[in-house]
């Protein structure tokens, strides 16, 4: 009996043998379709190949595509566990032709595979075709020899496949298997077609039209093929089972669930095990593709799936968290083909454990409340919306979990009441928010957020994605379109652009639609919306259009490196300076990083180099950077650094990097840095490249600031520094390491020369003019001197006093507009004449004020050099009269 793994391989091998490129499954979060919540069929990743918008180096492809149908248009969640063929996660096998083969080959290839490779009895098979598609009916007759009564014409959309309201589409033909008349049900198109006797196993779509929003259905330039066959269905058929959950793969998961909960796989808990097995697959693959449980968008769908499974695990009587213990079984079954599952195993386990531990703290109480409420209901009754809302709001019960729990008892929920309670809570939150005065001008963003919900951020996993333009805001008002030259704030349903937050700057890049292009100069966040601040560069953009969003990746890589380096720096600072170091602010831009932290004094050069060396050591370690989502308390228990006073939501992203032995953080004490952080980070520390601290300075009282560079800018900085030193060394004709010594020697020499120059200048200034007159029996020198400054006068006076031996020296320095005067009197004469008195006379004559000193030496300043001679004359007169 072939396993599901064998069947997948047979399918892919068969089409590869027939000239098809074997293409990997695309991720569950579609990158190229803004309207889809999850990839829900094989053709999603090829969407643009059918319309000719995109070409690749193959025209035939085959895949086993991961699909999720939970949330959004295709939602099978409610039926899972209770029916034979519903799944939230399934694999779709497909073969595709892009303008290559068409109906003939598609039908022949399909018939060959199922009747020859799979060996299905042709007499059990019948097909449907679109009612007008004679061509397909004739090919079936020719290729398979099917009689007319086993080629059923269907006029409804069941046989006209559309991807969505717009896009490539076409008639299809479906292959059915007849399980035999012992099972109730009629053939397709008959009134009891929903019975289980005739099961569709394969859908072949003839892509030949394009549906436009205005209702036009136009032929496509090329004709293509898109087929889809659910692996679980064909598996059940080939394994002789009627129920997908009885296939080997699903059965292994059911048994793992039974074993982990200590219950019988086929007993009364069977339905629980089926739900658990299905939800385990959806959870594992969604987490492997970057979705994390949250309260918004895709993350909330994942949370709903996880919590539903957890309630079912609880119903089996298990007292400990169950789901994470089943991950090894899942990886064992599917990790061979899907390597991403194997790689993400630790993350899946940890996310499941964290979520289940947390949910269990309210699950019991929530279920008791539910029991009480149910006790009050009549048979077949309806749970009031208020109660369902309380379960949601206080106990973390998603609405569909409550519905699922009630379904077992044949009860319903008043969903309108639930919605009303939810709307009321939103209104309260909004009133509180706008009352807080925060961004009072942001009413428009609140309105848009109410209308459209929060923007989904895809930028942790991709820098390119498609989104749908929900609103264009120009000068504070919503507009339908913007054209070249205008500036706009653009809101989309999902974006890879990071909105400025937590010190990380907003992304820049390009947004394109079919009709125009904008350059995004910044991205901000308000009320849960990401606002792409942009200039229209070309054409026109309209609300409602699909858009391709492309982040400037080089810039983002540089920002990422700086952000991750900031985490390493934070930890290195704590290691070097102590636990008191806490983040006080940060900037992660493309050209540098800045980190403010609490610390009382300047860092010594040794401390700074030690810190820099430690950061570089962890960069060279090139260890993996991991991100997990958990409750803030759980994160703190791991030793995560959180910003003091910061408000955190129900869950936080926890970024870990760096490995060390035994003395680190985390459960096994081997992690260097753990921080709560919503930013984007490198995948491995080595991507940071290099780290250079530019120095430490004071930021505010008790807060220091370090600016630093990483990657190429760090190398450029070092290179520029090196060039400067080399230039200097060349100037000195010395080795670079000798430059310091040479500079010191030069500075000493300069100091000596300056002293020598000052001495010479004084001597030159006095020159031969230093002639003393005899006044009142005293030797007196009176002189105006050019080319010296006021502070030269002191030494000159001393010198002259020494030459005179006994006498008075009065000098006025002609320093330009404001003359300086200094007067000295040798000690033996101070009882006759005081220098201080004489200076006052001179200063006054010079039009200045004040001046003073001691009897032997006094100085002052004047205002008018033209009065210099008059001032000296006044001094002379005073000496004469002394
Ligand atoms: N797109 C079609 C489907 O999903 C065939 O692959 O059924």
């Amino acid at each position: 009996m072939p396993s599901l793994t064998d069947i997948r391989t047979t399918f892919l091998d068969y089409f590869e043998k027939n000239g098809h490129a074997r293409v990997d499954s695309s991720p569950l979060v579609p990158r190229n379709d803004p309207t889809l919540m999850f990839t829900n069929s094989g053709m999603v990743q090829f969407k643009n190949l059918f319309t000719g918008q995109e070409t690749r180096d193959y025209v035939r492809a085959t895949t086993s595509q991961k699909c999720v149908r939970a949330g959004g248009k295709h939602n099978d969640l409610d039926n899972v566990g209770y029916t034979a063929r519903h799944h939230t996660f399934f694999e779709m096998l497909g073969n595709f032709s892009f303008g290559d083969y068409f109906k003939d080959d598609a039908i022949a290839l399909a018939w060959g595979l199922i009747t020859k490779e799979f060996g299905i009895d042709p007499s059990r098979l019948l097909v449907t075709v679109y009612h007008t598609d004679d061509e397909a009916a004739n090919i079936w007759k020719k290729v398979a020899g099917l009689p007319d009564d086993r080629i059923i014409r269907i006029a409804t959309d069941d046989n006209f496949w559309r991807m969505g309201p717009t896009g490539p589409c076409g008639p299809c033909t479906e292959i059915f298997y007849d399980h035999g008349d012992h099972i109730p049900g009629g053939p397709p198109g008959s009134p009891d077609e929903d019975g289980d006797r005739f099961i569709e196993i394969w859908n072949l779509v003839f892509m030949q039209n394009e549906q436009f929003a205005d209702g036009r259905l136009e032929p496509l330039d090329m004709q293509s093929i898109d087929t889809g066959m659910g692996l679980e269905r064909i598996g059940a058929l080939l394994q002789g089972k009627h129920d997908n959950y009885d296939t080997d793969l699903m059965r292994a998961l059911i048994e793992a669930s039974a074993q982990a909960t200590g219950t019988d796989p086929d007993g009364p808990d069977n339905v629980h095990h089926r739900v658990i097995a299905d939800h385990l697959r959806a959870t594992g693959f969604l987490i492997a593709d970057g979705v994390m449980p949250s309260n918004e968008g895709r993350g909330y769908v994942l949370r709903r799936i996880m919590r539903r499974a957890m309630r079912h695990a609880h119903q089996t009587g298990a007292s400990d968290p169950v789901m994470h213990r089943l991950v090894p079984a899942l990886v064992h079954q599917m990790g061979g083909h899907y390597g991403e599952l194997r790689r993400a195993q630790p993350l899946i386990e940890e996310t499941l454990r964290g979520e289940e531990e947390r949910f269990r703290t309210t699950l019991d109480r929530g279920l008791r409340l539910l029991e009480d409420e149910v006790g009050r209901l009549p048979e077949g009754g309806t749970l009031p919306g208020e109660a369902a809302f309380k379960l949601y709001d206080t106990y973390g019960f998603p609405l569909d979990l409550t519905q699922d729990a009630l379904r077992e008892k044949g009860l319903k929920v008043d969903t309108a009441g639930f919605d009303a309670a939810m709307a009321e809570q939103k209104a309260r939150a909004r009133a509180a928010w706008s009352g807080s005065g925060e961004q009072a001008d942001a009413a428009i963003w609140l309105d848009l957020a109410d209308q459209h919900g929060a923007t989904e951020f895809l930028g942790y996993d991709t820098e390119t994605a498609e989104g749908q333009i929900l609103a264009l805001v120009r000068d504070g008002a919503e507009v339908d379109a913007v054209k070249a030259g205008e500036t706009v704030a653009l809101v989309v349903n999902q974006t890879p652009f990071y909105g400025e937050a937590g010190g990380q700057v907003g992304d820049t890049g390009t947004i394109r639609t079919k009709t125009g292009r904008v350059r995004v100069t910044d991205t901000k966040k308000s009320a849960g919306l990401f606002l792409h601040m942009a200039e229209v560069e070309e054409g026109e953009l309209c609300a409602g259009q699909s858009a391709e969003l492309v982040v400037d990746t080089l810039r983002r890589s540089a920002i990422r490196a700086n952000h991750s380096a900031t985490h390493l720096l934070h930890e290195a600072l704590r290691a070097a300076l102590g636990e008191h170091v806490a983040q006080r602010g940060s900037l992660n831009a493309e050209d540098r990083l800045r980190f403010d932290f609490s610390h009382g004094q300047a860092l010594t050069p040794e401390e700074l180099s030690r810190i820099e060396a430690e950061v570089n050591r962890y960069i060279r370690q090139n260890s993996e950077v991991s991100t997990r989502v958990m409750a803030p308390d759980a994160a703190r228990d791991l030793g995560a650094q959180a910003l003091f006073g910061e408000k955190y939501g129900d869950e936080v992203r926890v970024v870990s990097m760096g490995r060390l032995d035994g003395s680190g953080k985390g459960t096994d004490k081997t992690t260097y840095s753990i921080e709560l952080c919503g930013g984007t980070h490198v995948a491995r520390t080595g991507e940071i490249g290099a780290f250079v601290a530019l120095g430490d300075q004071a930021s505010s009282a008790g807060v220091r600031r370090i600016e630093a560079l990483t990657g190429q800018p760090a190398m450029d900085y070092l290179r520029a520094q090196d060039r400067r030193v080399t230039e200097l060394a060349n100037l000195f004709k010395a080795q670079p390491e000798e430059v310091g010594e040479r500079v010191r020697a030069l500075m000493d020499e300069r100091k000596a020369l300056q002293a020598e120059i000052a001495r010479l200048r004084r001597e030159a200034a006095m020159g031969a003019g230093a002639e003393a007159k005899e006044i009142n029996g005293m030797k007196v020198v009176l002189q105006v001197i050019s080319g010296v400054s006021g502070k030269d006068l002191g030494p000159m006076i001393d010198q002259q006093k020494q030459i005179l031996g006994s006498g008075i020296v009065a000098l006025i320095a002609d320093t330009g507009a404001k003359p300086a005067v200094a007067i000295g009197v040798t000690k033996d004469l101070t009882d006759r004449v005081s220098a201080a008195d004489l200076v006052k006379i001179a200063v006054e004559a010079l039009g200045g004020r004040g001046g003073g000193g001691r009897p032997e030496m006094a100085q002052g300043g004047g205002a008018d050099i033209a009065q210099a001679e008059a001032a000296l004359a006044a001094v002379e007169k005073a000496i004469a009269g002394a």
Side-chain angles (χ1 to χ4, degrees):
M1 190 176 71
S3 65
L4 258 59
T5 299
D6 297 335
I7 297 166
R8 190 196 298 118
T9 306
T10 304
F11 184 97
L12 297 173
D13 285 351
Y14 173 80
F15 282 103
E16 197 171 38
K17 240 175 13 218
N18 282 288
H20 293 65
R22 192 191 284 247
V23 177
D24 282 341
S25 169
S26 63
L28 281 168
V29 177
R31 301 274 156 82
N32 65 349
D33 194 311
T35 61
L36 282 182
M37 183 156 240
F38 298 117
T39 301
N40 60 11
S41 62
M43 59 79 67
V44 170
Q45 66 165 315
F46 302 119
K47 187 185 83 165
N48 294 335
L49 274 78
F50 295 120
T51 54
Q53 243 173 291
E54 185 192 339
T55 52
R56 297 195 190 157
D57 57 6
Y58 49 78
V59 290
R60 296 176 175 207
T62 182
T63 61
S64 171
Q65 175 65 47
K66 300 178 282 186
C67 298
V68 164
R69 291 190 177 174
K73 238 187 336 255
H74 299 275
N75 186 358
D76 291 343
L77 188 55
D78 293 340
N79 291 317
V80 168
Y82 304 99
T83 68
R85 276 174 290 277
H86 280 103
H87 303 273
T88 54
F89 172 92
F90 64 98
E91 295 173 75
M92 191 180 264
L93 302 169
N95 58 292
F96 306 88
S97 146
F98 312 109
D100 187 41
Y101 62 83
F102 199 45
K103 293 183 188 180
D104 278 312
D105 285 350
I107 290 174
L109 282 166
W111 192 252
L113 177 72
I114 53 177
T115 58
K116 300 219 169 62
E117 300 282 331
F118 288 162
I120 297 175
D121 175 2
S123 69
R124 293 277 197 164
L125 297 169
L126 64 158
V127 302
T128 58
V129 296
Y130 194 50
H131 64 128
T132 53
D133 196 354
D134 296 333
E135 191 189 356
N138 288 332
I139 298 169
W140 276 120
K141 251 188 250 174
K142 200 172 77 203
V143 171
L146 290 178
D148 283 338
D149 64 344
R150 284 205 278 141
I151 303 174
I152 302 168
R153 289 175 186 257
I154 302 281
T156 65
D157 270 0
D158 279 354
N159 277 65
F160 195 94
W161 197 85
R162 283 182 174 79
M163 190 197 90
T166 60
C169 56
C172 59
T173 180
E174 295 187 325
I175 305 172
F176 283 74
Y177 182 80
D178 178 359
H179 280 270
D181 54 15
H182 59 289
I183 293 178
S190 69
D192 49 353
E193 64 176 2
D194 286 340
D196 269 349
R197 177 173 167 187
F198 296 92
I199 300 298
E200 182 225 321
I201 55 169
W202 204 347
N203 182 16
L204 319 182
V205 182
F206 308 126
M207 289 289 188
Q208 57 185 39
N209 299 100
E210 184 166 4
Q211 177 79 55
F212 291 92
D214 58 11
R216 271 178 306 127
L217 186 69
E218 303 284 350
L220 280 168
D221 288 344
M222 59 185 199
Q223 297 176 317
S224 299
I225 293 294
D226 149 36
T227 86
M229 177 198 282
L231 173 62
E232 298 75 8
R233 274 191 193 194
I234 191 72
L237 178 58
L238 295 178
Q239 292 180 2
K241 311 284 187 206
H242 194 63
D243 186 323
N244 293 1
Y245 288 83
D246 290 335
T247 56
D248 64 309
L249 196 162
M250 297 307 291
R251 183 69 195 172
L253 300 181
I254 286 172
E255 278 170 8
S257 166
Q259 203 182 8
T261 54
T263 54
D264 178 357
D266 301 308
D269 291 317
N270 175 259
V271 65
H272 301 310
H273 299 313
R274 292 162 72 95
V275 175
I276 289 169
D278 172 88
H279 290 8
L280 174 68
R281 296 209 308 166
T283 300
F285 278 95
L286 284 170
I287 294 173
D289 278 349
V291 183
M292 284 293 192
S294 78
N295 288 334
E296 304 270 7
R298 296 185 174 98
Y300 192 55
V301 176
L302 170 60
R303 166 156 291 159
R304 283 163 49 207
I305 296 173
M306 290 166 88
R307 293 195 168 181
R308 275 172 79 115
M310 287 161 190
R311 187 191 70 87
H312 282 279
H314 183 268
Q315 293 300 93
T316 65
S319 51
D320 292 321
V322 171
M323 295 300 290
H324 70 280
R325 289 190 275 140
L326 308 181
V327 179
L330 172 66
V331 173
H332 179 71
Q333 287 297 320
M334 303 189 74
H337 185 75
Y338 299 103
E340 65 273 32
L341 199 62
R342 226 178 28 240
R343 285 190 293 278
Q345 180 170 351
L347 179 67
I348 300 167
E349 288 178 352
E350 196 183 271
T351 308
L352 271 167
R353 196 186 44 221
E355 181 80 8
E356 193 160 359
E357 277 170 358
R358 216 164 132 216
F359 186 43
R360 275 179 169 266
T361 62
T362 57
L363 179 62
D364 255 332
R365 280 181 295 142
L367 287 174
R368 270 201 301 276
L369 174 86
L370 187 61
E371 287 297 318
D372 289 351
E373 291 283 342
V374 165
R376 284 198 278 275
L377 294 181
E379 207 172 304
T382 301
L383 182 77
E386 277 291 343
F389 184 73
K390 180 156 188 202
L391 284 167
Y392 161 83
D393 198 35
T394 314
Y395 300 100
F397 281 37
L399 176 62
D400 57 68
L401 183 151
T402 303
Q403 288 171 315
D404 189 39
L406 292 177
R407 175 187 176 132
E408 293 157 11
K409 303 181 165 65
L411 301 167
K412 285 198 178 57
V413 179
D414 168 16
T415 50
F418 177 87
D419 291 343
M422 176 78 101
E424 211 173 286
Q425 195 208 40
K426 272 196 183 153
R428 272 199 307 274
R430 184 180 168 154
W433 202 77
S434 38
S436 71
E438 199 182 333
Q439 304 195 21
D441 61 332
I444 183 160
W445 308 126
L446 282 167
D447 288 341
L448 287 171
D450 270 357
Q451 206 177 322
H452 301 292
T455 311
E456 183 146 358
F457 179 57
L458 306 176
Y460 292 123
D461 303 299
T462 179
E463 283 158 26
T464 306
E466 283 198 19
Q468 204 160 22
I469 302 181
L470 301 177
L472 298 164
V473 176
R474 224 176 110 58
D475 299 329
E478 222 183 317
V479 293
D480 291 335
V482 283
K483 51 183 191 306
E486 294 182 334
T487 55
V488 60
L490 204 140
V491 180
V492 288
N493 63 339
Q494 54 183 15
T495 183
F497 282 72
Y498 184 82
E500 180 189 339
Q504 184 176 328
V505 297
D507 277 331
T508 63
T510 307
I511 299 180
R512 263 191 205 87
T513 70
K514 273 190 181 144
T515 54
R517 190 185 72 227
V518 303
R519 191 164 53 84
V520 179
T521 52
D522 195 6
T523 309
K524 300 198 174 295
K525 282 205 290 199
S526 185
L529 298 178
F530 283 55
L531 314 176
H532 304 80
M533 316 311 265
E535 277 163 30
V536 186
E537 288 189 318
E538 202 182 295
E540 189 188 50
L541 272 83
C542 308
Q545 277 185 318
S546 288
E548 192 196 9
L549 296 100
V550 183
V551 172
D552 176 344
T553 47
L554 279 181
R555 182 173 175 276
R556 164 74 90 76
S557 314
I559 295 169
R560 244 197 325 254
N562 281 334
H563 200 156
S564 300
T566 301
H567 286 209
L568 292 178
L569 171 62
H570 189 180
E571 202 50 46
L573 283 165
R574 292 167 63 83
L577 306 176
E579 296 287 300
H580 63 279
V581 168
Q583 175 166 351
R584 287 285 177 263
S586 70
L587 172 74
N588 303 115
E590 72 268 38
D591 57 343
R592 68 192 198 287
L593 68 91
R594 193 173 74 206
F595 188 69
D596 292 354
F597 57 99
S598 48
H599 185 57
Q601 69 257 31
L603 269 62
T604 64
E606 292 71 34
E607 283 170 336
L608 200 59
S609 11
R610 203 142 38 91
I611 289 160
E612 189 183 72
E614 177 149 317
V615 172
N616 279 301
R617 205 163 47 243
Y618 282 101
I619 292 174
R620 284 192 302 273
Q621 188 183 64
N622 195 26
S623 53
E624 203 180 320
V625 176
S626 84
T627 307
R628 291 159 293 174
V629 172
M630 57 181 80
D633 287 349
R636 277 187 205 108
D637 289 349
L638 287 179
Q641 298 299 323
L643 284 188
F644 179 73
E646 187 90 344
K647 254 177 66 194
Y648 291 102
D650 284 352
E651 40 246 335
V652 286
R653 291 180 78 84
V654 177
V655 178
S656 310
M657 63 185 84
R659 298 276 153 268
L660 75 174
D661 287 336
S663 55
K665 303 187 171 87
T667 36
D668 50 4
K669 305 257 172 269
T670 57
T671 309
Y672 178 62
S673 152
I674 304 186
E675 292 204 29
L676 304 193
C677 177
T680 59
H681 286 275
V682 295
R684 305 191 78 91
T685 54
E687 288 166 40
I688 300 169
F691 173 87
V692 174
L694 299 182
D696 141 81
Q697 63 194 67
S699 164
S700 58
V703 178
R704 307 293 305 175
R705 165 171 294 182
I706 288 184
E707 289 213 323
L709 305 173
T710 64
Q712 194 55 44
M715 299 314 294
D716 292 346
Y717 173 82
L718 293 180
R719 171 61 48 221
Q721 293 291 75
D722 183 62
R723 233 187 343 258
R724 279 180 209 123
V725 174
T726 307
E727 273 169 24
L728 280 177
N730 289 344
L731 284 175
F732 285 119
K733 300 203 173 20
Q735 294 304 310
E737 57 273 19
E738 292 164 355
V739 166
E741 204 180 303
R742 290 295 179 93
V743 170
R744 254 190 310 278
L746 260 190
M747 279 163 62
D748 289 347
E749 198 179 315
R750 182 168 179 267
K751 222 162 154 188
L753 285 175
Q754 271 172 337
E756 179 66 7
I757 288 169
R759 193 182 58 77
L760 289 173
R761 207 169 42 203
R762 289 193 301 267
E763 278 180 22
M766 288 301 290
E771 228 172 84
K773 334 181 170 178
E774 189 67 45
I775 303 169
N776 201 3
M778 292 175 281
K779 282 187 270 182
V780 178
V781 173
L782 298 166
Q783 201 163 340
V784 180
I785 308 166
S786 310
V788 295
S789 73
K791 68 177 188 302
D792 286 329
L793 293 179
M796 290 172 81
I797 297 241
D798 287 345
Q799 200 185 1
Q800 288 302 312
K801 271 166 51 176
Q802 228 162 15
I803 294 168
L804 292 177
S806 165
I808 301 168
V809 187
L811 302 177
I812 295 178
D814 176 1
T815 56
K818 293 210 165 153
V821 56
I823 295 176
V825 177
T826 51
K827 205 151 184 123
D828 56 313
L829 302 178
T830 49
D831 49 355
R832 291 181 62 191
V833 190
S834 163
D837 294 343
L838 293 179
V839 151
K840 286 204 177 76
I841 293 167
V843 165
E844 199 185 317
L846 285 167
R849 281 230 228 124
R854 293 167 291 116
E856 309 93 275
M857 177 69 196
Q859 299 197 49
D864 183 3
I865 189 66
Q867 302 305 316
E869 290 301 336
L872 290 180
V875 169
E876 185 175 343
K877 195 167 152 219
I879 296 169

